[in-house]
C-alpha cells in the first residue's frame, strides 16, 4: 500500500514542501515517483518519518537524524531509546507544570489580598523549609525551649496544614522579593508590614524575643540550605529578609 505526498502531509501534519525538502537532502526519499511526478510513500517510509519527527521533537538536527537512521540496524531499539527520552521529558514537563500551577495559585491568592504579585522565575520557587539534621541540631542547641515548642506544634499539623503553611511562606517570600527588586528599603512601612506577618507566622511555632528573632534572621543567611531557599526566589533575598527582620526586631521586640 502506498500513500501520496498529499496524504502523508495530511496524516502527519508535515507540509508537502517539507517532505520534498526531506527528499532533496536524502533524509526521506519516497518509495517511488509516479508518471505524473507525484511522490508516493510506503509503510517503511512512514515509520522512518515517525522516527524523524520524534528526533525533531528532541531537537536533533536533520544531518544527525539522517546519520542515525542510515546507520540503524534495530528499529525497535532506536524507538525504545526515543520512548525513554520522551518519558523523561514528560516527567520534566510534569514537574514544571506542577511548579507553575502552584505559582498561579500563590499569585492569585496574593492578588485577592491586594498584594504585589509578580515574579519573573516561577520555576525557581521555594519548595519547603525542611532543615537538615545539622541545621536542626544547631537550632536545638541554641534555642532548646523554642525547639521543643516548635516540635510540638509541628507534630499537630496535618499534611494539609503543612502544605498550606508552605504555600503561605512561598507567597510571602515572593512579595518580599518584589520589594527587594523594586529597591524598597527594608525599613519601609510596606516591608515592615510583611515582617509583622512573618513574625506572627513564626509565633505559630514559638515566640522569639528580640535576640532570638535576630538570631533566626541571621540563620537564614548563614545556613546554606536556608539561604538557598530564599535565593532561589531572587538572588540576595536572604540578606534582604535578614535586614528587614532586624529592623522589625529593633523597633517592635524586646
Amino acid at each position: 500500500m502506498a500513500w501520496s505526498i498529499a496524504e502523508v502531509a495530511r496524516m502527519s501534519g508535515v507540509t508537502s514542501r517539507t517532505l520534498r525538502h526531506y527528499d532533496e537532502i536524502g533524509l526521506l526519499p519516497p518509495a517511488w515517483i509516479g508518471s505524473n511526478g507525484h511522490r508516493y510513500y510506503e509503510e517503511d517510509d512512514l515509520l522512518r518519518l515517525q522516527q524523524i519527527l520524534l528526533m525533531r521533537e528532541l531537537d536533533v538536527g536533520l544531518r544527525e537524524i539522517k546519520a542515525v537512521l542510515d546507520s540503524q540496524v534495530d528499529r525497535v531499539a532506536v524507538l525504545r531509546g526515543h520512548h525513554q527520552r520522551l518519558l523523561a521529558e514528560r516527567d520534566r514537563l510534569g514537574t514544571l507544570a506542577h511548579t507553575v500551577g502552584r505559582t498561579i495559585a500563590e499569585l492569585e491568592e496574593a492578588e485577592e489580598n491586594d498584594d504585589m504579585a509578580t515574579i519573573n522565575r516561577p520555576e525557581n520557587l521555594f519548595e519547603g523549609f525542611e532543615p537538615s539534621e545539622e541545621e536542626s541540631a544547631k537550632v536545638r542547641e541554641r534555642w532548646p525551649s523554642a525547639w521543643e515548642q516548635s516540635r510540638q506544634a509541628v507534630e499537630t499539623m496535618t499534611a494539609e496544614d503543612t502544605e498550606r503553611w508552605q504555600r503561605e511562606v512561598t507567597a510571602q517570600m515572593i512579595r518580599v522579593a518584589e520589594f527587594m527588586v523594586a529597591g524598597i528599603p527594608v525599613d519601609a512601612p510596606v516591608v515592615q508590614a510583611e515582617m509583622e506577618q512573618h513574625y506572627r507566622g513564626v509565633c505559630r511555632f514559638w515566640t522569639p524575643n528580640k535576640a532570638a528573632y535576630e538570631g533566626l534572621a541571621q540563620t537564614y543567611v548563614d545556613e546554606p540550605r536556608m539561604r538557598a531557599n530564599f535565593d532561589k526566589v531572587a538572588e540576595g533575598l536572604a540578606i534582604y529578609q535578614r535586614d528587614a527582620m532586624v529592623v522589625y526586631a529593633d523597633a517592635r521586640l524586646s
Side-chain angles (χ1 to χ4, degrees):
M1 187 174 180
W3 294 267
S4 68
I5 189 172
E7 291 172 323
V8 173
R10 185 172 58 254
M11 288 187 294
S12 66
V14 178
T15 65
S16 297
R17 180 178 180 179
T18 298
L19 291 172
R20 288 193 292 270
H21 176 64
Y22 287 172
D23 179 17
E24 291 168 0
I25 64 175
L27 179 59
L28 183 65
W32 46 279
I33 298 178
S35 57
N36 55 6
H38 292 176
R39 294 170 171 82
Y40 290 89
Y41 299 83
E42 296 180 346
E43 184 174 351
D44 284 349
D45 305 314
L46 298 187
L47 289 172
R48 184 178 175 96
L49 176 59
Q50 180 193 53
Q51 293 174 64
I52 293 170
L53 297 180
L54 285 170
M55 283 189 277
R56 290 297 291 152
E57 286 291 329
L58 296 171
D59 292 327
V60 180
L62 295 180
R63 181 178 300 176
E64 291 78 8
I65 292 174
K66 184 176 185 301
V68 169
L69 294 181
D70 289 348
S71 64
Q72 74 179 49
V73 177
D74 187 344
R75 284 183 175 174
V76 174
V78 172
L79 285 173
R80 186 175 289 114
H82 293 327
H83 185 234
Q84 292 173 348
R85 284 190 289 273
L86 289 170
L87 291 177
E89 180 68 5
R90 179 200 64 185
D91 293 342
R92 185 188 71 81
L93 292 175
T95 299
L96 181 58
H98 175 72
T99 300
V100 173
R102 288 184 60 174
T103 302
I104 291 170
E106 289 150 7
L107 297 183
E108 287 177 342
E109 181 179 347
E111 288 173 356
E112 290 175 1
N113 295 327
D114 294 326
D115 292 316
M116 189 179 296
T118 305
I119 189 167
N120 294 324
R121 296 183 295 168
E123 72 278 11
N124 288 334
L125 290 186
F126 170 78
E127 294 197 357
F129 247 151
E130 293 185 20
S132 67
E133 288 298 323
E134 180 181 356
E135 292 164 0
S136 298
K138 290 180 180 179
V139 173
R140 185 165 57 247
E141 180 181 353
R142 188 169 185 180
W143 301 300
S145 61
W147 169 263
E148 181 59 25
Q149 293 176 39
S150 179
R151 183 190 64 79
Q152 293 176 3
V154 169
E155 286 180 352
T156 66
M157 294 175 68
T158 65
E160 291 76 13
D161 292 334
T162 301
E163 175 67 16
R164 189 181 306 111
W165 171 74
Q166 290 184 346
R167 286 167 55 82
E168 290 171 359
V169 172
T170 302
Q172 184 175 67
M173 291 173 74
I174 294 170
R175 294 193 298 270
V176 176
E178 288 295 331
F179 297 146
M180 181 190 72
V181 172
I184 299 175
V186 294
D187 59 354
V190 67
V191 178
Q192 288 304 300
E194 284 296 339
M195 294 306 102
E196 172 68 22
Q197 293 300 316
H198 179 270
Y199 181 76
R200 290 181 182 179
V202 173
C203 288
R204 292 168 57 183
F205 302 94
W206 62 294
T207 305
N209 58 19
K210 178 178 181 293
Y213 193 60
E214 290 178 344
L216 176 63
Q218 190 62 41
T219 300
Y220 290 165
V221 174
D222 291 344
E223 297 299 336
R225 188 168 177 180
M226 290 186 179
R227 182 167 184 158
N229 279 332
F230 280 96
D231 289 351
K232 282 179 183 177
V233 177
E235 189 69 29
L237 180 57
I239 293 175
Y240 185 86
Q241 174 82 22
R242 177 202 61 191
D243 294 347
M245 289 171 65
V246 169
V247 170
Y248 178 86
D250 286 343
R252 303 291 297 274
L253 304 178
S254 59

